[in-house]
Amino acid sequence: MPSYVCKASKCVSRNAEELDGYVGAIVVERLSRPDVAELLTGTGRPDSGALQLDATALRERLDGLAAAYADGAIDVRQLREGSERLRARLAEVEDQLATADRGDALAGLIGVADPGKAWDALDLHRRRAVVDTLMTVTIDRTRKGRPRGWTPGSPYFDPSTVGIVWKS
């Protein structure tokens, strides 16, 4: 059966269908709230293409500073100051890119009449992008043994072992 398994030590494993259904229901519930438009903060989204170009140009300028230092054209102080300014600007651009990506992931889900139907229509890649945009999901270990009331041969899922932290 398809499962999510801890990559590091294989200490945690969950049925993928049950976990996806649980997380999907939480996403749909959030998309159904009246304040769903607040998920897209700000009035306009930045142009991600232009921001990508800016980020590339800033990285090239950082590389240029390193080359200039290696060639002896600038000293350590100039390298440090230039690098700090460029890295600060790059961090700003990357933050703006994250905001633009957030809007892209949620496009077609905000303000729709039936968020559940819109969610169901998404492919797995897009669902993962939405989940990654909205929350961080952590799977905890379960206690040993089966839960009370469980009958042999039936599946079980314990939502208390799923941690969800909403991203702001």
Side-chain angles (χ1 to χ4, degrees):
M1 112 179 43
S3 300
Y4 291 105
V5 179
C6 172
K7 292 178 184 176
S9 61
K10 308 221 185 299
C11 60
V12 176
S13 175
R14 291 294 182 286
N15 178 300
E17 185 177 339
E18 291 175 342
L19 184 58
D20 288 347
Y22 177 72
V23 172
I26 291 172
V27 169
V28 169
E29 188 278 328
R30 177 63 187 100
L31 295 174
S32 300
R33 292 185 197 168
D35 67 341
V36 68
E38 292 176 14
L39 292 174
L40 296 174
T41 57
T43 55
R45 288 192 347 231
D47 176 11
S48 60
L51 290 170
Q52 288 286 358
L53 290 173
D54 287 349
T56 299
L58 289 166
R59 288 184 190 99
E60 288 173 358
R61 291 175 62 192
L62 278 167
D63 291 344
L65 274 176
Y69 177 73
D71 292 341
I74 61 173
D75 61 29
V76 171
R77 182 189 56 78
Q78 292 168 317
L79 174 64
R80 185 175 24 253
E81 289 175 5
S83 294
E84 286 173 6
R85 290 196 345 240
L86 288 172
R87 283 193 178 103
R89 177 66 185 130
L90 182 58
E92 291 172 12
V93 169
E94 288 173 343
D95 285 345
Q96 291 174 354
L97 269 168
T99 300
D101 290 344
R102 178 183 186 108
D104 291 344
L106 298 175
L109 293 172
I110 303 295
V112 296
D114 188 349
K117 187 175 181 180
W119 174 259
D120 290 341
L122 300 179
D123 63 18
L124 181 60
H125 176 74
R126 179 80 187 283
R127 285 183 183 187
R128 286 181 176 171
V130 171
V131 168
D132 187 50
T133 297
L134 296 177
M135 64 181 73
T136 300
V137 179
T138 307
I139 310 303
D140 298 322
R141 289 183 172 156
T142 60
R143 58 183 172 82
K144 292 190 183 242
R146 303 288 184 197
R148 187 179 314 258
W150 175 79
T151 56
S154 66
Y156 72 95
F157 178 75
D158 184 2
S160 70
T161 63
V162 180
I164 294 180
V165 177
W166 293 98
K167 295 180 180 176
S168 54

